[in-house]
């Protein structure tokens, strides 16, 4: 069946799944209204000023660059995982706070790092002057050098004096090294280190970010670490105020190893492909052997589409290849491959693009069966930006698989479609998930389901229950979604939200770049780079 | 209590421990004799196990005296006289399905605007609450709303590593070697406090960002104010299960059993020594598919959520019951047994007498996804289902024990009962009036 995309699809309104079913998060729950990431505006807007607490990864990367003599830090366990926000990303500025737990962990980290840096093993490298001239000037040089990297700007004289005086005070009661240690502890706990300032200064009707703030935004947004030498040099003369300069820097940073990792961070948060690692498939004993390979396969696929082919959302969803190692090729049934990352064409019925990746198919499935609901919801939430629905109360679990007697689709239709209360919500995503039914719980292709024929046809409804699109199978679904403006708008909106740490809830921050991505003029990588020329990158509301 | 009295009690405790065989007998005898409420402080330990329980393998058939004759609760048999089962609780505030984890300890759907009960009680008693977690979130997905159980202003990420928990709970009470750097830490924190305050003052008109810094400021001030914790024991405890865990990856599902045991061991010592009077141990997270085929586990290689808790058939529900029983078995073997020693602060009773252990979940029946009390039908038979809530320990004499109590009330009343049990009575939670559960109050 060919795709039939209704013109209304792009204007598909949010489905509000309320009514007969009482569910949390609804009216009167007191929750803030969740932003619509697919929302488009006539022109780009700027968000509010923000203090963005560094993520655990950013904190560690910054310390490692500030005190490179220590090498890779043994303190990762001191800084715990950051909370994942509703949008799926662990870098939302409104949720990255310094409560009691984080403050404790930061203090522990600071003490561990400072103790190490001032130990006999590292002192001569970290602070060479300590051996010859252990005085205030020596401490001052440490504060200047480490502080510059930690604060992403030179310290003021007043700030410098604070740390030097703290060291001197401690030294009076102990020794030079201990004084240096506690000056470092104070630096490593400073709010000037902990937060990326995107506050700016009031200029006319809005706030202009300062040169060091812009440099930090570029660096952390594109590499997850503090500004490098080249970026720091551009602070002089306010060169980063020039959009062309910022764009060039963004492109440069995205090509670094840290830039690649940063791009994967977005894809992990957006698609959840890495969640397959935590799944269990008891009926397939060797599944646990290939979970990590599936993640690597998806990352090679993203690397190929986004970096090597400069692809956009359309290519991401419809690319007809993947990259396999021998173990995974055997698992899927591709046959022998050469090497550990051979690019192979997908057989005609084996799907295309990101949605056909084993990591996605197995990650969004049950332990012992596929899940049209989980897969459909993934598309519904992450590719159409529909609001996440909380499961209502007292919903019996769907019937157990009965291979050879009932197909998964039949079980879901019997439980969900046949029940008005269930179907009230499930009609919006189960029919999307049916398109994946040619893939089992482990992500492998199946032409039938234990001998029963598979019906992989599905549809997308709007809020008025009008059919906006119909498709048959995962390839058809992928092309339908790829051709739908809403999909690209959703992805571009979520990517901007991620890059800007939530942007204070403002979703229309990069409308020009989103247009370019939508028309295929640019790919995803260039889209991310062009976020650097959005007004929000250098300005904030007053 | 004077220092000399305290030392005397410590010596009595150590003597009892040294006597070995005599101690349990002494405790048992004293338990018979002592029924009055103690002045010694009461420990609270909250033990969260997700995905409910299959009621046909959990529930006592009727109210009255508790006997640990169900599949799931059988491991509590040695402590039957100290155990209560509350039948009839349902989630408050419309909290439903697995999302009810956010209401389990806060009392309110999505967590409401207040703190979780451990923090509320800790604040009232002027103590610190501490949260540990046995793989409390998926390492591949991160700490998310599926993991939110304990709320201390923000959702708190439980400490995943028992080694870190041991360090947190005992290091502060150990005398430092060499130069005491406490004053230097205070000076550094003071500098940070000044900087955060200064940054906050500079943010004129930016309320949201100022609020962030206010939280930061209060957190630094709390760190400054925290001193060495109470330690009723002498010397650092030894941890055999922590040693067995070693440096293994605490987020690796294969290590679940070792991590759970190590957490329970650390918790037991912290309760005995009084270094952490209010503890929460969060096991897993909602929708967790952790494979229960790990070494030392119940030997059922299925995922906890899909493979086990969703079971409808008899065989599957029996397996789920075995897995939920495993949590009680480890609780009894590692923690409850360890607590059955004289309380160093009140040697006439055991630590278990002076503790309140609360076992809870976010749903009633895993396959039904219900978080309320009411009938469910299993293989054509009707059962009255409810949140599986169990208390163990005498709560310093404030609670009756050895009972099965029917209380068809919101679970916030159970939270109020916990607060009463540890000497921090509450009349409301989150602005909502609450009552203690009458059948439990002595």
């Amino acid at each position: 069946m060919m795709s039939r995309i209704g013109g209304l699809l792009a204007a598909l309104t949010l489905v509000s799944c309320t009514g007969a079913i009482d569910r949390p998060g609804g009216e009167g729950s007191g929750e803030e209204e969740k932003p619509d990431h697919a929302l488009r505006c006539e022109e780009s807007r700027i968000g509010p000023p923000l203090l963005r607490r560094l993520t655990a990864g950013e904190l560690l990367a910054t310390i490692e660059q500030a005190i490179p003599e220590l090498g890779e830090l043994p303190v990762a366990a001191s800084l715990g995982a950051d909370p994942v926000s509703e949008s799926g990303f662990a870098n939302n500025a409104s949720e990255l706070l310094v409560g009691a737990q984080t403050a404790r962990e930061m203090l522990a980290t600071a003490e561990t790092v400072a103790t190490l840096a001032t130990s006999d093993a590292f002192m001569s490298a970290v602070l060479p002057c300590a051996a010859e001239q252990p005085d205030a000037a020596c401490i001052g040089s440490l504060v200047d050098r480490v502080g510059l990297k930690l604060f992403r700007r030179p310290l003021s004289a007043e700030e410098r004096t604070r740390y030097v005086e703290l060291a001197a005070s401690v030294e009076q009661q102990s020794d030079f090294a201990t004084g240096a240690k506690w000056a470092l502890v104070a630096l490593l706990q400073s709010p000037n280190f902990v937060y990326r300032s995107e506050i700016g200064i009031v200029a006319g009707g809005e706030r202009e970010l300062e040169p060091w703030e812009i440099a930090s935004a570029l660096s952390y947004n594109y590499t997850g670490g503090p500004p490098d030498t080249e970026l720091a040099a551009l602070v002089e003369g306010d060169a980063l105020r020039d959009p062309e300069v910022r764009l060039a820097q963004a492109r440069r940073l995205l090509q670094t190893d840290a830039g690649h990792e940063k791009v994967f961070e977005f894809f992990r948060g957006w698609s959840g492909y890495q969640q397959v690692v935590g799944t269990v498939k008891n009926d397939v004993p060797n599944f646990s052997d290939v979970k990590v390979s599936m993640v690597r396969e998806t990352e090679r696929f993203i690397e190929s589409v986004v970096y090597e082919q400069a692809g956009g959302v359309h290519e991401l969803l419809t690319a007809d290849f993947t990259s396999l190692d021998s173990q995974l090729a055997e698992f899927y049934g591709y046959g022998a491959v050469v090497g550990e990352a051979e690019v192979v064409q997908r057989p005609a019925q084996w799907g295309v693009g990101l949605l056909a990746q084993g990591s996605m198919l197995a990650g969004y499935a049950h332990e012992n069966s596929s899940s049209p609901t989980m897969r459909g919801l993934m598309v519904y939430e992450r590719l159409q930006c529909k609001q996440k629905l909380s499961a209502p109360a007292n919903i019996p679990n769907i019937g157990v698989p009965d291979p050879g007697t009932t197909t998964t689709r039949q079980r879901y239709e019997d439980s969900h479609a046949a029940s008005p209360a269930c179907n009230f919500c499930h009609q919006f995503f189960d029919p999307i998930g049916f398109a994946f039914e040619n893939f089992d719980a482990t992500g492998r292709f199946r032409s039938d389901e234990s001998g029963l024929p598979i019906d992989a046809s599905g549809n997308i409804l709007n809020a008025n229950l009008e059919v906006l699109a119909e498709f048959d199978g995962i390839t058809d679904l992928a092309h339908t979604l790829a051709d739908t403006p809403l999909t690209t708008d959703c992805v571009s909106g979520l990517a901007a939200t991620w890059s800007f740490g939530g942007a204070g809830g403002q979703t229309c921050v990069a409308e020009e770049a989103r247009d370019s991505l939508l028309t295929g003029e640019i790919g995803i990588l260039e889209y991310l780079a062009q976020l650097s020329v959005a007004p929000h990158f250098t300005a904030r509301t007053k | 209590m004077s220092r000399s009295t305290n030392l005397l009690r410590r010596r009595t405790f150590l003597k009892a421990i040294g006597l070995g065989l005599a101690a349990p007998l002494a405790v048992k005898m004293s338990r018979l004799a002592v029924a009055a409420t103690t002045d010694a402080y009461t420990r609270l330990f909250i033990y969260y196990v997700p995905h409910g329980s299959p009621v046909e393998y959990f529930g006592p058939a009727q109210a009255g005296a508790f006997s640990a004759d169900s599949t799931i609760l059988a491991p509590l048999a040695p402590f039957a006289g100290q155990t209560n089962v509350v039948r009839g609780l349902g989630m408050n505030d419309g909290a439903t399905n697995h999302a009810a984890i956010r209401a389990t300890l806060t009392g309110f759907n999505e967590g409401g605007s207040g703190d979780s009960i451990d923090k509320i009680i800790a604040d009232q008693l002027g103590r610190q609450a501490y949260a540990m977690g046995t793989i409390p979130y998926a390492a591949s997905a991160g700490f998310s709303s599926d993991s939110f159980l304990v709320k201390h202003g923000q959702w708190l990420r439980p400490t995943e590593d028992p080694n870190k928990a041991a360090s947190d709970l005992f290091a502060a009470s150990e005398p430092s070697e060499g130069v005491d750097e406490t004053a230097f830490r205070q000076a550094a924190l003071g500098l940070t406090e000044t900087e955060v305050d200064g940054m906050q003052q500079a943010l004129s008109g930016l309320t949201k960002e100022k609020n962030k810094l206010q939280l930061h400021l209060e957190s630094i001030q709390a760190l400054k104010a925290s001193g060495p914790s109470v330690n009723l024991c002498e010397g650092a405890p030894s941890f055999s299960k922590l040693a067995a865990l070693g440096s293994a990856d605490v987020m690796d599902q294969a290590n679940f059993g070792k991590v759970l045991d190590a957490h329970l061991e650390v918790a037991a010592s912290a309760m005995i020594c009084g270094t952490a009077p209010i503890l929460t141990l969060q096991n897993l997270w909602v929708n967790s598919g952790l494979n229960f085929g790990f070494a030392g586990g119940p030997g059922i290689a299925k995922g906890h959520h899909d493979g086990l808790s969703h079971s409808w058939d008899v065989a599957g529900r029996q397996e789920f019951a075995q897995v939920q029983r495993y949590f009680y078995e480890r609780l009894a073997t590692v923690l409850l047994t360890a607590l059955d020693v004289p309380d160093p602060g009140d040697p006439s009773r055991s630590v278990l007498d002076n503790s309140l252990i609360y076992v809870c979940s976010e749903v009633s029946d895993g396959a039904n996804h219900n978080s309320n009390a009411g009938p469910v039908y299993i293989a054509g038979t009707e059962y009255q289902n409810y949140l599986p809530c169990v208390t163990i320990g005498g709560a310093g004499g404030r609670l009756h024990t050895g009972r099965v109590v029917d209380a068809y009330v919101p679970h916030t009343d159970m939270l109020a009962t916990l607060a009463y049990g540890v000497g921090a009575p509450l009349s409301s939670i989150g602005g909502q009036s609450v009552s203690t559960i009458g059948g439990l109050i002595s």
Side-chain angles (χ1 to χ4, degrees):
Chain A
M1 184 187 303
M2 292 298 292
S3 303
R4 288 190 283 107
I5 308 166
L8 290 173
L9 190 50
L12 185 63
T13 53
L14 280 175
V15 174
S16 178
C17 193
T18 57
I21 297 175
D22 179 29
R23 64 181 186 83
E27 192 175 341
S29 70
E31 281 186 73
E32 286 185 21
E33 190 175 340
K34 294 164 186 167
D36 176 5
H37 298 284
L39 182 71
R40 295 302 310 268
C41 304
E42 288 294 321
E43 56 186 21
S44 294
R45 299 174 183 173
I46 56 177
L50 290 176
L51 286 175
R52 295 178 62 178
R53 200 211 84 194
L54 300 189
T55 64
E58 290 168 344
L59 286 163
L60 289 176
T62 307
I63 295 171
E64 285 177 0
Q65 292 189 41
I67 318 176
E69 298 84 358
L70 300 181
E72 194 169 327
L73 293 172
V75 294
S78 299
L79 294 168
D82 293 313
V84 176
S85 71
E86 196 71 37
S87 61
F89 306 113
N91 71 342
N92 192 301
S94 63
E95 298 192 27
L96 288 175
L97 306 170
V98 184
Q101 182 178 41
T102 305
R104 268 199 313 274
E105 292 177 347
M106 284 179 173
L107 177 61
T109 302
E111 290 194 26
T112 302
V113 170
T115 300
L116 199 63
T118 55
S119 66
D120 291 344
F122 288 100
M123 188 67 154
S124 60
V126 172
L127 197 54
C129 58
E132 300 295 325
Q133 198 176 357
D135 58 11
C138 184
I139 289 291
S141 69
L142 176 73
V143 171
D144 288 339
R145 180 170 59 81
V146 175
L148 175 64
K149 211 67 173 176
L150 292 180
F151 290 14
R152 289 85 62 181
R153 61 169 174 76
L155 275 65
S156 69
E158 185 184 346
E159 288 169 334
R160 185 180 192 273
T161 301
R162 270 185 224 148
Y163 298 107
V164 172
E165 288 182 348
L166 173 66
S169 168
V170 171
E171 184 184 355
Q172 281 181 352
Q173 303 164 67
S174 54
D175 55 30
F176 179 80
T178 308
K181 169 187 163 180
W182 287 97
L184 273 179
V185 170
L187 277 165
L188 290 164
Q189 286 199 109
S190 171
N192 296 297
F193 163 50
V194 171
Y195 299 100
R196 297 161 54 182
S197 171
E198 295 183 357
I199 298 294
I201 52 175
V202 176
E206 57 189 36
R207 287 173 173 268
E208 269 186 8
L209 298 196
E210 298 190 77
W212 280 106
E213 291 178 316
I214 298 170
S216 280
L218 275 165
S219 187
Y220 283 102
N221 285 12
Y222 293 112
T223 71
D228 60 11
T229 309
E230 182 172 334
L231 211 46
L234 291 168
V235 169
E236 296 301 318
D238 206 6
L240 294 172
R241 191 77 56 194
D242 181 344
E244 288 303 315
V245 175
R246 292 201 303 277
L247 184 57
Q249 287 299 313
R251 289 170 176 158
R252 176 181 71 84
L253 295 170
L254 282 169
Q255 293 299 330
T256 64
D257 288 346
H260 280 243
E261 177 51 33
K262 195 69 183 168
V263 170
F264 287 131
E265 177 188 302
F266 163 68
F267 280 98
R268 283 194 293 268
W270 168 57
S271 72
Y273 68 80
Q274 84 291 355
Q275 293 180 31
V276 69
V277 174
T279 60
V280 176
K281 313 286 178 186
N282 288 312
D283 296 339
V284 185
N286 60 338
F287 177 75
S288 60
D289 299 334
V290 298
K291 290 189 292 189
V292 173
S293 287
M294 285 181 169
V295 169
R296 292 186 184 133
E297 174 199 7
T298 301
E299 293 184 342
R300 288 194 298 270
F301 174 76
I302 292 169
E303 176 82 22
S304 292
V305 172
V306 174
Y307 272 94
E308 295 166 13
Q309 301 184 4
V313 174
H314 195 283
E315 290 73 24
L316 187 75
L317 294 175
T318 61
D320 61 357
F321 64 89
T322 191
S323 168
L324 302 172
D325 61 29
S326 54
Q327 192 177 25
L328 204 49
E330 184 182 348
F331 180 80
Y332 287 144
Y334 275 86
V337 298
V338 179
E340 292 305 299
E342 182 177 333
V343 175
V344 297
Q345 294 295 305
R346 289 182 170 281
Q349 292 182 310
W350 288 29
V352 292
L354 180 70
L355 298 180
Q357 288 284 306
S359 62
M360 298 290 287
L361 293 161
Y364 291 97
H366 287 299
E367 189 176 324
N368 53 3
S369 77
S370 61
S371 172
T373 296
M374 291 169 73
R375 290 167 173 177
L377 267 174
M378 178 266 294
V379 171
Y380 184 76
E381 294 173 355
R382 309 310 288 170
L383 288 157
Q384 296 192 303
C385 285
K386 300 303 177 211
Q387 285 189 11
K388 189 173 185 175
L389 302 165
S390 296
N394 301 324
I395 46 168
N397 175 36
I398 201 160
V400 294
D402 191 4
T405 303
T406 312
T407 64
T408 302
R409 180 176 185 134
Q410 284 173 315
R411 280 194 298 123
Y412 276 71
E413 287 182 332
D414 288 348
S415 292
H416 293 165
S419 161
C422 294
N423 203 43
F424 190 80
C425 287
H426 280 270
Q427 63 189 324
F428 294 107
F429 36 80
D430 279 8
I432 301 174
F434 290 144
F436 295 81
E437 273 304 283
N438 279 113
F439 295 86
D440 68 15
T442 67
R444 291 186 293 202
F445 177 78
R446 57 185 179 188
S447 57
D448 60 74
E449 189 176 353
S450 300
L452 300 175
I454 290 173
D455 177 0
S457 62
N459 62 55
I460 295 175
L461 302 180
N462 70 6
N464 297 322
L465 305 185
E466 296 161 337
V467 176
L468 296 179
E470 292 178 310
F471 35 79
D472 191 355
I474 191 171
T475 300
D476 208 10
L477 170 66
H479 282 282
T480 299
L481 292 169
D483 291 341
T484 304
L486 176 70
T487 305
T488 300
D489 285 341
C490 174
V491 177
S492 65
L494 282 167
T497 290
W498 161 76
S499 187
F500 291 123
Q506 176 56 264
T507 56
C508 288
V509 289
E511 297 309 287
E512 293 75 16
R514 294 175 79 182
D515 283 342
S516 298
L517 184 65
L518 184 59
T519 59
E521 184 185 333
I522 61 174
I524 293 172
L525 192 68
E526 178 62 13
Y527 170 71
L528 294 174
Q530 291 199 9
L531 292 177
S532 67
V533 301
H536 181 79
F537 213 95
T538 58
R540 291 291 188 277
T541 55
K542 193 173 172 185
Chain B
M1 183 187 298
S2 70
R3 179 171 170 77
S4 60
T5 307
N6 198 7
L7 285 173
L8 180 65
R9 287 187 169 180
R10 266 191 214 168
R11 280 196 291 274
T12 307
F13 167 69
L14 292 169
K15 187 178 176 186
I17 294 292
L19 289 174
L21 287 174
L25 181 61
V27 170
K28 187 176 278 186
M29 295 302 289
S30 67
R31 193 176 294 154
L32 292 173
V34 179
T37 303
T38 182
D39 291 331
Y41 74 84
T42 307
R43 291 85 161 170
L44 175 65
F45 180 75
I46 298 170
Y47 189 62
Y48 167 80
V49 180
H51 302 154
S53 275
V55 64
E56 68 273 30
Y57 298 104
F58 173 84
Q62 57 192 20
F66 172 76
S67 60
D69 52 5
S70 75
T71 300
I72 294 174
L73 300 181
L76 298 179
F79 309 96
Q82 296 274 65
T83 301
N84 294 313
V85 174
V86 184
R87 309 191 314 169
L89 295 180
M91 277 289 162
N92 184 53
D93 195 33
T96 58
N97 208 308
H98 295 308
I101 185 175
R102 276 99 83 182
T104 302
L105 298 183
T106 64
F108 290 90
N109 195 0
E110 303 295 327
S113 57
D115 288 321
S116 48
I117 193 67
D118 58 323
K119 178 70 161 52
I120 293 171
I121 292 171
D123 286 349
Q124 188 154 328
L125 297 177
R127 295 184 177 274
Q128 298 290 315
Y130 192 83
M132 306 183 286
T134 315
I135 311 190
Y137 57 90
S140 57
F143 180 58
S144 70
S145 58
D146 277 354
S147 323
F148 293 170
L149 176 71
V150 174
K151 191 178 179 191
H152 296 182
Q154 307 84 49
W155 294 109
L156 193 72
R157 199 192 77 257
T159 300
E160 306 90 337
D161 187 346
N163 288 289
K164 184 170 188 305
S167 172
D168 289 346
L169 298 177
F170 287 95
S173 61
E174 292 172 11
S176 58
E177 295 177 4
V179 177
D180 184 356
E181 299 193 21
T182 305
F184 307 154
R185 184 176 296 109
Q186 290 289 314
L189 286 168
L191 196 158
T192 306
E193 184 181 6
T194 303
E195 289 189 331
V196 176
D197 186 46
M199 186 179 276
Q200 190 189 36
Q201 300 303 322
L203 294 180
S204 176
L206 303 178
T207 306
K208 275 190 172 179
E209 305 316 294
K210 286 186 79 161
N211 289 344
K212 277 183 195 172
L213 291 174
Q214 182 61 31
L215 175 70
H216 190 163
L217 185 63
E218 290 169 4
S219 301
I220 295 295
Q221 289 167 341
L223 267 179
K224 273 183 74 183
S226 62
S229 59
V230 172
N231 188 350
L232 301 175
C233 304
E234 289 181 351
S238 61
F239 295 117
S240 61
K241 296 186 185 306
L242 200 58
L245 173 65
S247 58
D249 180 357
V250 297
M251 295 298 281
D252 183 340
Q253 299 192 6
N255 296 325
F256 185 86
K258 287 182 177 177
V259 178
L260 174 59
D261 278 5
H263 269 314
L264 287 167
E265 182 183 55
V266 171
S269 289
M271 292 172 75
I272 292 168
C273 298
T275 60
I278 301 160
L279 284 167
T280 300
L281 177 54
Q282 175 179 340
N283 294 299
L284 304 175
W285 69 98
V286 297
N287 297 315
S288 164
L290 189 130
N291 186 335
F292 270 71
F294 54 80
I300 300 173
K302 292 185 176 179
H304 196 264
H305 178 245
D306 278 5
L308 292 161
S309 81
H310 277 184
S311 300
W312 280 115
D313 60 307
V314 172
R317 291 179 73 85
Q318 282 178 339
E319 287 182 330
F320 186 39
Q322 290 299 325
V323 166
Q324 300 305 74
R325 171 197 172 105
Y326 164 80
F327 284 99
Y328 283 93
E329 192 269 321
R330 299 323 298 161
L331 179 75
T333 301
V334 182
L335 186 118
L336 300 180
T337 301
L339 299 187
D340 205 11
V341 297
D343 184 345
D346 180 15
S348 63
R349 300 175 190 243
S350 72
V351 177
L352 190 56
D353 288 330
N354 288 334
S355 295
L356 177 53
I357 290 96
Y358 178 53
V359 188
C360 57
S361 193
E362 84 288 357
V363 295
S364 308
D365 183 89
N368 278 286
H369 286 122
N370 60 324
S371 301
N372 58 354
V376 294
Y377 296 87
I378 310 297
T381 302
E382 180 182 311
Y383 292 87
Q384 279 298 315
N385 201 200
Y386 43 82
L387 292 170
C389 296
V390 175
T391 72
I392 308 146
R398 296 184 187 89
L399 297 188
H400 290 302
T401 54
R403 292 185 171 192
V404 178
V405 174
D406 284 349
Y408 285 82
V409 295
H411 85 291
T412 38
D413 281 0
M414 187 66 226
L415 300 183
T417 306
L418 296 181
Y420 175 87
V422 295
L426 300 169
S427 58
S428 68
I429 295 175
Q432 179 179 303
S433 294
V434 289
S435 303
T436 52
I437 294 174
L440 292 178
I441 302 301
S442 64

